[in-house]
Amino acid sequence: MSMTTRTDTQSPALHAADSHDLIRVHGARVNNLKDVSIEIPKRRLTVFTGVSGSGKSSLVFSTIAAESQRLINETYSAFVQGFMPTLARPEVDVLDGLTTAIIVDQQRMGADPRSTVGTATDANAMLRILFSRLGQPHIGSPQAFSFNVPTVRASGAITVERGNRKTERATFTQLGGMCTRCEGRGAVSDIDLTQLYDDSKSLAEGAFTIPGWKSDSFWTVRVYAESGFVDPNKPIREYTKKELQDFLYKEATKVKIEGVNLTYEGLIPKIQKSFLSKDREAMQPHIREFVDRAVTFTTCPECDGTRLSAEARSSKIKGISIADACAMEIRDLAEWVRGLDEPSVAPLLAKLLHTLQSFVEIGLGYLSLERPAGTLSGGEAQRTKMIRHLGSALTDVTYVFDEPTIGLHPHDIQRMNALLQRLRDKGNTVLVVEHKPEAIAIADHVVDLGPGAGTAGGTICYEGTIEGLRASGTITGRHLDDRAALKETVRTPKGTLEIRGATRHNLQDVDVDIPLGVLCVVTGVAGSGKSSLIHGSIPASAGVVSVDQAPIRGSRRSNPATYTGLLDPIRKAFAKVNGVKPALFSANSEGACPACNGAGVIYVDLGMMAGVDTPCEECEGKRFQASVLEYHLGGRDISEVLAMSVTEAQEFFGAGEARTPAAHAILGRLADVGLGYLSLGQPLNTLSGGERQRLKLATHMADKGGVYVLDEPTTGLHLADVEQLLGLLDRLVDAGKSVIVIEHHQAVMAHADWIIDLGPGAGHDGGRIVFEGTPADLVAARSTLTGEHLAAYVGA
């Protein structure tokens, strides 16, 4: 083997191709960015900091990453682009030096019941091939091991036209791995019929109690009433056996009603299709409440929750079936795969082992492949998405991360930092939006946005090294070395909430008394069982208000006023003063501008090109009819009220003619969580992750309940915002509430009255209480990982 020797010497002049080592952004005006111009070094790790809502995501995701993705999409043919999401060009003058952007954000994975950790990362696909090659007895192709593929059988006559025509009988069978009872979901649903209708009434009397099913609805109720299968004037309880069977279970049948062809379907399959096939988290609150009330899910008795058919479970490799493999913790499965020595599938085993090892490396070895994707926390989902990028041979790529340390214990942050540095050292540009000092510390380059949030932000306050940031005097620079001190005195509990014998997920028969009337923090490494203990074991009768990590979904039609219920008292106040209907003051109802239907913009769909939004000329973007804007309250019309910030509106609705106590109370809660700068009519889809988290917290503060459970409320919060959050938690406790916080942030731990630490590890190495007591005792003992990190944090 010969090797060529380089004889050329380095030319003193820089090659033209090597001069493009900056990403240049000039004149960015996306969301709240104020004509931002910046140069970001390539092949370095750049961290973007700033208070929540200062414009970090607008610059990194909505400008740099969005334009990179749009330009890549444009390289495909128009046919392919038709199937891709259309992206508009960001509002920016110049974007130069972009490379391919790979976005790893903190969006939770879809909660589709068929999506698991294995299907989301291709590990299941490789396992299925492995069992189809090595499994004994051999049952068929990889499809025979898939819980998403049903078994199909067909028989009939086929005609072969070759010389003389010949008709033959033929049968066709395709073996799938789906359990027939639960259809691959692992759980079967039982529908409570009493929640669907009142059987003492007839259909004509409005028997249905399903949300949105009005008696005059052509597509739902009238299909049943006028189908001819049941008598609409007879109470449901008096139906004959045949009528009840047709009413509840009849298969889809064509019927004609008032000359229109419609499909009649039994009530049970109709409910299953229209409600149970949807992502529960995406449902409107009243629909979700109905589904929770009407449907109970139990583990499928036929497949025992494995989702797989008996044939798929019968084929084994070394005594392990594919169901057993998916149920193992990934680190144990990796060991099992390492023990398989079969040259015929060596490349497959190597790739599968690499994928499983990546899980372990990134700190997710405690998960199993059968875990539903919708149950992963934001941090776990983000790290699961990272799996496919670890070990990638691509270089000169821009990786964009949105707070990769979310959901990570201080012990795990070091591991994440090492991964980010590895990606950079392979010659990639790594852009990270981050708040944690430990993660900011590894940056080669820091960009600080601010100085405030919302309209008070959107400018570059500092760019340079981490040392320069400390000395810069910006909010981030001043708070970077903040350390919350341990409390000198802690509150005394006013009672306890007893949990006995908790065994959910990895909990190992845990007994614990959670003190009430104090600030209690539950902590431990990721996967130690914190959420299982709190969300899964606290009795529902305890009057718990739970603020979890589920994201707020909002379109451009929804805003803080609609989401918090603030618009209702405002509309009523306008209606009362002007003597008209409240519906006039809703841009989604009677008051909407007819030209833009209350959207404020006219949207032109351009097929595979990005659609164009232009402000509505008739209402000038105000969203309301001109006649509605003639009605005033306290000298302001409804569009002017929606343009106010929370702070302005709080003053406006607090006194004078516009005094509205119900609105004032909601505005007070929004100000309490630090959202005083938000305008009431700002579309929800323009809010940052931290702003959405606090908006959700503000709405739940009005709930009637004595115990508040908060799941990582510091997510998306700047160091300065964490101080405000601690003040809010103190006010809740002082008002007589019990506050339980699942949290990794040391400032919250140090501020607690009582700490419950789970561990010592994750998965089957966790699930036990390793410490209960005050933060001072935890620091003094240093008996757990949390204790060691908290001691280092407070400088003990």
Side-chain angles (χ1 to χ4, degrees):
M1 184 172 134
S2 67
M3 301 233 349
T4 56
T5 311
R6 285 188 62 172
T7 54
D8 59 320
T9 54
Q10 185 64 44
S11 160
L14 186 70
H15 193 288
D18 296 330
S19 61
H20 303 283
D21 50 7
L22 290 172
I23 296 174
R24 296 190 308 120
V25 181
H26 285 282
R29 295 176 296 281
V30 175
N31 296 333
N32 67 332
L33 295 179
K34 294 172 181 165
D35 226 19
V36 165
S37 296
I38 187 171
E39 295 186 339
I40 301 163
K42 286 189 190 174
R43 295 177 283 282
R44 296 290 182 273
L45 199 158
T46 302
V47 173
F48 294 79
T49 63
V51 295
S52 173
S54 60
K56 305 180 297 298
S57 296
S58 297
L59 176 59
V60 179
F61 289 92
S62 306
T63 304
I64 298 170
E67 178 64 353
S68 171
Q69 294 221 311
R70 189 184 72 83
L71 292 172
I72 289 166
N73 288 0
E74 282 192 352
T75 64
Y76 300 114
S77 67
F79 173 75
V80 173
Q81 286 183 56
F83 296 99
M84 304 175 101
T86 52
L87 303 164
R89 186 181 188 281
E91 213 178 323
V92 59
D93 296 334
V94 179
L95 262 174
D96 225 15
L98 294 178
T99 66
T100 306
I102 294 175
I103 299 173
V104 187
D105 60 17
Q106 45 175 284
Q107 289 293 321
R108 300 285 286 273
M109 289 188 165
D112 185 286
R114 295 183 185 284
S115 180
T116 64
V117 169
T119 59
T121 56
D122 302 337
N124 259 33
M126 290 184 272
L127 266 183
R128 292 199 302 270
I129 298 170
L130 185 68
F131 274 86
S132 71
R133 302 291 183 272
L134 302 183
Q136 293 298 329
H138 176 74
I139 62 165
S141 71
Q143 290 186 326
F145 296 93
S146 170
F147 54 75
N148 286 327
V149 179
T151 296
V152 178
R153 291 190 178 88
S155 63
I158 63 167
T159 302
V160 181
E161 298 197 5
R162 188 190 303 140
N164 57 341
R165 270 173 93 174
K166 195 170 161 192
T167 302
E168 298 175 357
R169 297 285 302 168
T171 58
F172 165 78
T173 303
Q174 176 187 291
L175 188 65
M178 179 187 285
C179 167
T180 51
R181 174 78 187 274
C182 65
E183 297 186 357
R185 287 186 173 91
V188 285
S189 58
D190 196 11
I191 296 177
D192 182 356
L193 297 179
T194 61
Q195 299 292 340
L196 306 185
Y197 56 78
D198 179 351
D199 67 356
S200 66
K201 293 180 179 175
S202 68
L203 295 184
E205 292 170 326
F208 286 117
T209 55
I210 301 165
W213 283 37
K214 298 184 177 70
S215 56
D216 60 343
S217 173
F218 195 70
W219 304 104
T220 52
V221 177
R222 284 179 62 188
V223 171
Y224 288 92
E226 299 174 32
S227 64
F229 296 118
V230 295
D231 182 349
N233 299 307
K234 185 162 67 172
I236 294 174
R237 65 171 58 155
E238 293 175 18
Y239 282 1
T240 63
K241 200 170 182 183
K242 168 97 172 63
E243 281 180 317
L244 197 60
Q245 177 68 23
D246 285 348
F247 178 59
L248 292 177
Y249 301 107
K250 191 168 184 68
E251 291 179 3
T253 311
K254 291 284 182 211
V255 292
K256 189 168 265 193
I257 296 170
E258 291 182 20
V260 180
N261 284 325
L262 297 172
T263 302
Y264 175 95
E265 194 171 22
L267 187 60
I268 299 295
K270 178 94 171 168
I271 292 294
Q272 285 176 326
K273 279 182 188 169
S274 55
F275 291 108
L276 302 191
S277 60
K278 291 179 183 166
D279 172 5
R280 182 183 171 279
E281 295 302 326
M283 293 175 183
Q284 292 173 289
H286 67 288
I287 302 285
R288 192 184 313 153
E289 201 177 303
F290 161 72
V291 170
D292 291 346
R293 207 173 54 235
V295 185
T296 52
F297 291 95
T298 50
T299 302
C300 174
E302 203 158 297
C303 65
D304 200 23
T306 62
R307 306 158 177 254
L308 292 158
S309 63
E311 291 94 335
R313 286 176 282 139
S314 67
S315 181
K316 298 185 177 181
I317 302 173
K318 291 190 175 179
I320 298 288
S321 72
I322 191 166
D324 300 331
C326 290
M328 286 183 191
E329 287 196 3
I330 289 172
R331 52 189 165 194
D332 298 334
L333 180 59
E335 286 303 312
W336 180 74
V337 170
R338 192 177 279 115
L340 298 177
D341 184 20
E342 187 58 54
S344 63
V345 289
L348 177 68
L349 287 172
K351 176 68 176 161
L352 177 59
L353 187 60
H354 175 265
T355 301
L356 299 174
Q357 278 299 116
S358 296
F359 271 102
V360 178
E361 206 175 302
I362 210 163
L364 294 177
Y366 60 86
L367 295 179
S368 61
L369 294 181
E370 67 175 10
R371 172 92 173 256
T375 65
L376 298 181
S377 69
E380 286 171 333
Q382 186 170 19
R383 286 183 287 156
T384 301
K385 291 176 199 169
M386 281 179 72
I387 300 293
R388 61 180 69 245
H389 306 304
L390 295 180
S392 163
L394 290 172
T395 61
D396 256 332
V397 170
T398 300
Y399 285 96
V400 187
F401 291 94
D402 193 1
E403 289 190 68
T405 59
I406 281 181
L408 289 187
H409 188 270
H411 172 69
D412 299 316
I413 289 178
Q414 297 306 116
R415 185 186 269 163
M416 177 58 73
N417 283 351
L419 282 171
L420 295 176
Q421 287 170 319
R422 251 178 50 200
L423 283 174
R424 175 203 61 193
D425 293 346
K426 281 171 59 179
N428 297 307
T429 306
V430 182
L431 308 181
V432 184
V433 172
E434 190 51 86
H435 292 293
K436 294 264 178 75
E438 304 98 312
I440 298 171
I442 63 163
D444 302 311
H445 189 73
V446 179
V447 178
D448 188 28
L449 283 101
T455 52
T459 59
I460 304 288
C461 296
Y462 170 81
E463 54 173 319
T465 62
I466 184 96
E467 289 76 21
L469 177 66
R470 280 197 172 89
S472 66
T474 65
I475 294 180
T476 308
R478 289 201 305 274
H479 288 272
L480 199 57
D481 294 317
D482 277 5
R483 296 292 181 266
L486 294 173
K487 283 182 177 173
E488 290 182 16
T489 57
V490 293
R491 300 179 182 94
T492 308
K494 295 174 184 166
T496 56
L497 193 62
E498 294 184 359
I499 294 177
R500 294 288 177 268
T503 54
R504 186 182 169 105
H505 296 143
N506 65 332
L507 295 177
Q508 300 181 18
D509 205 24
V510 169
D511 295 338
V512 65
D513 291 334
I514 297 175
L516 297 177
V518 299
L519 175 57
C520 174
V521 171
V522 179
T523 187
V525 294
S528 59
K530 304 179 294 298
S531 296
S532 302
L533 178 67
I534 301 303
H535 293 309
S537 308
I538 287 184
S541 58
V544 171
V545 176
S546 179
V547 186
D548 60 13
Q549 289 188 353
I552 292 177
R553 296 194 171 155
S555 67
R556 61 177 162 209
R557 279 189 177 275
S558 44
N559 51 49
T562 56
Y563 181 78
T564 58
L566 172 64
L567 201 55
D568 292 336
I570 291 176
R571 278 169 21 203
K572 284 174 187 163
F574 265 96
K576 189 176 176 185
V577 167
N578 293 288
V580 291
K581 288 193 296 185
L584 280 176
F585 302 99
S586 168
N588 296 328
S589 186
E590 290 180 29
C593 163
C596 63
N597 290 327
V601 292
I602 304 289
Y603 179 74
V604 183
D605 185 2
L606 298 175
M608 85 274 181
M609 306 293 287
V612 176
D613 285 347
T614 50
C616 173
E617 290 178 10
E618 194 149 317
C619 66
E620 296 176 347
K622 291 181 179 176
R623 303 174 59 193
F624 293 90
Q625 296 175 23
S627 58
V628 173
L629 300 180
E630 289 171 11
Y631 299 116
H632 289 80
L633 173 69
R636 303 286 185 98
D637 65 41
I638 184 70
S639 69
E640 289 172 329
V641 167
L642 290 175
M644 288 180 180
S645 69
V646 168
T647 311
E648 279 178 80
Q650 196 178 2
E651 196 178 312
F652 179 72
F653 288 108
E657 186 203 352
R659 186 173 177 275
T660 311
H664 192 258
I666 295 172
L667 290 162
R669 289 193 286 274
L670 286 169
D672 275 350
V673 296
L675 294 177
Y677 60 88
L678 273 192
S679 68
L680 305 186
Q682 183 177 341
L684 278 194
N685 59 2
T686 65
L687 299 189
S688 71
E691 286 170 334
R692 291 184 184 211
Q693 178 95 337
R694 286 184 285 170
L695 190 60
K696 186 198 267 190
L697 180 57
T699 57
H700 283 291
M701 279 170 62
D703 294 352
K704 298 284 181 280
V707 181
Y708 279 73
V709 174
L710 310 181
D711 196 346
E712 294 192 50
T714 60
T715 298
L717 292 192
H718 185 264
L719 299 157
D721 298 324
V722 172
E723 280 181 31
Q724 187 161 10
L725 177 74
L726 294 177
L728 174 65
L729 298 180
D730 278 342
R731 286 199 297 280
L732 282 172
V733 175
D734 293 341
K737 309 284 186 189
S738 301
V739 180
I740 303 166
V741 184
I742 300 170
E743 191 53 87
H744 293 293
H745 203 296
Q746 293 106 316
V748 181
M749 291 182 210
H751 201 72
D753 299 307
W754 193 259
I755 286 186
I756 296 170
D757 192 13
L758 280 97
H764 57 55
D765 292 341
R768 292 186 287 273
I769 304 287
V770 291
F771 176 84
E772 290 178 81
T774 64
D777 293 341
L778 178 62
V779 166
R782 299 191 194 202
S783 55
T784 68
L785 280 171
T786 308
E788 287 173 22
H789 283 279
L790 186 59
Y793 175 82
V794 297

